[in-house]
Amino acid sequence: MDHEEAARCWEANAEAWTKLARAGYDAYRDGFNTPAFFELLPDVAGLSGLDVGCGEGYNTRLLARRGARVTAVDVSETFVQYAREAEAIEPLGIDYRVASALALPFEAGSFDFVTSFMCFMDVPETDRVLAEAFRVLKPGGFLQFSICHPCYDTPHRRNLRDADGRTYAVEIGDYFRNRTGDVVEWTFSSAPPEATAGLPKFRTPFYTHTLSQWLNLLIDAGFRIERLAEPRPDDEAVRARPGLQDAQVVAYFLHIRARKPA
Ligand SMILES: C[S@@+](CC[C@H](N)C(=O)[O-])C[C@H]1O[C@@H](n2cnc3c(N)ncnc32)[C@H](O)[C@@H]1O
């Protein structure tokens, strides 16, 4: 699958994704993934930032509320339209554009930082994606992004559950097989049938790398790796959203901050 076909998948996901995420069913994002990302994020007040793969803009708005001047891109027109509608209702000064991570429509050295929340594993040609992020950063600027954890979101994965339905282990395999656009069909696991009724399943193409491949891709792009995080929900988060319990067993997400040398 090439990047245009991958983009068409995302355009087809945008309507249902926005509806369900805005209804609170992106539970891993809301319950711990986004809070952990912001814990890792340096102070961005007064800085200019680019959010790549912004979707309907949930995390982009959080960035803007931290005082950054934010530009955001997504390859899907429908996602950008929803994000712009939210901006019209609550103006935060965010400039949304339809554009691909593979060809950012900005001059070299335009931004103090680049963020990307759960997008880079959805885009082919990761080396080009990282080269584009590197290009648009000012010297000394940083890239912070989150992805599905390469070690635990493997082509084979099965949750092993006890008699009470609690996950106690995750069976993983096929780690070394890079996915090159295999499409996975799924929906938010916390969404009840009445919420998903009439909505198509998401179809997301995956482009995966092993952990060492990800880190070497960053190094080859010229970045200096600065900080890593593997967020997990605490007990309070699991009490609030019991479906998050499985993410206490292994790391579902990986957060990476890397810097363009000054
Ligand atoms: C898992 S969603 C995450 C959305 C948002 N960042 C969030 O955290 O809620 C992945 C996003 O990446 C976008 N995307 C996929 N391929 C892209 C590309 N080549 N360039 C820009 N955005 C892309 C999708 O349209 C989608 O909005």
Side-chain angles (χ1 to χ4, degrees):
M1 174 180 295
D2 67 10
H3 68 101
E4 286 176 1
E5 211 181 326
R8 279 195 292 278
C9 273
W10 277 104
E11 176 57 24
N13 293 335
E15 195 77 41
W17 187 288
T18 303
K19 194 167 183 190
L20 293 170
R22 288 189 175 176
Y25 297 121
D26 196 345
Y28 293 94
R29 181 193 69 181
D30 301 347
F32 71 100
N33 197 16
T34 284
F37 191 98
F38 279 93
E39 261 174 46
L40 187 70
L41 193 75
D43 183 8
V44 292
L47 301 184
S48 65
L50 173 68
D51 188 29
V52 177
C54 61
E56 56 79 30
Y58 174 85
N59 290 311
T60 322
R61 292 189 285 280
L62 296 179
L63 275 174
R65 288 193 194 110
R66 292 209 157 192
R69 297 188 305 284
V70 186
T71 303
V73 298
D74 199 282
V75 80
S76 152
E77 280 184 25
T78 300
F79 269 133
V80 169
Q81 191 187 319
Y82 275 116
R84 285 183 179 145
E85 276 173 23
E87 173 67 18
I89 292 166
E90 185 199 354
L92 293 165
I94 304 169
D95 176 9
Y96 289 104
R97 315 259 185 105
V98 178
S100 173
L102 288 160
L104 296 172
F106 308 105
E107 305 267 302
S110 298
F111 300 100
D112 296 311
F113 70 91
V114 173
T115 51
S116 184
F117 299 77
M118 301 304 291
C119 165
F120 285 178
M121 69 281 166
D122 300 331
V123 188
E125 299 177 67
T126 314
D127 53 344
R128 263 179 73 194
V129 173
L130 296 177
E132 276 295 85
F134 190 87
R135 183 183 66 78
V136 301
L137 276 172
K138 294 178 186 168
F142 71 86
L143 164 69
Q144 186 173 309
F145 65 99
S146 54
I147 50 175
C148 294
H149 200 299
C151 301
Y152 301 107
D153 193 14
T154 49
H156 173 80
R157 184 172 91 177
R158 189 162 66 100
N159 285 24
L160 306 180
R161 299 177 195 274
D162 65 18
D164 299 325
R166 289 172 65 84
T167 296
Y168 63 89
V170 177
E171 181 183 279
I172 56 168
D174 219 3
Y175 171 65
F176 294 103
R177 177 165 75 80
N178 291 153
R179 285 172 150 162
T180 52
D182 324 5
V183 173
V184 178
E185 283 201 6
W186 61 288
T187 189
F188 294 127
S189 52
S190 67
E194 58 273 24
T196 54
L199 297 177
K201 287 220 158 126
F202 308 139
R203 295 185 69 250
T204 55
F206 279 97
Y207 300 87
T208 62
H209 307 285
T210 62
L211 181 62
S212 58
Q213 286 171 332
W214 272 109
L215 300 182
N216 287 332
L217 280 163
L218 278 161
I219 292 163
D220 291 346
F223 283 105
R224 189 166 57 73
I225 296 167
E226 190 167 89
R227 207 76 198 154
L228 303 172
E230 297 173 293
R232 69 182 183 119
D234 59 20
D235 292 344
E236 201 184 319
V238 174
R239 267 195 296 279
R241 294 181 175 87
L244 301 185
Q245 178 270 327
D246 52 5
Q248 289 188 316
V249 177
V250 296
Y252 277 13
F253 307 111
L254 178 65
H255 296 179
I256 301 180
R257 190 168 79 230
R259 203 167 283 273
K260 178 171 178 170

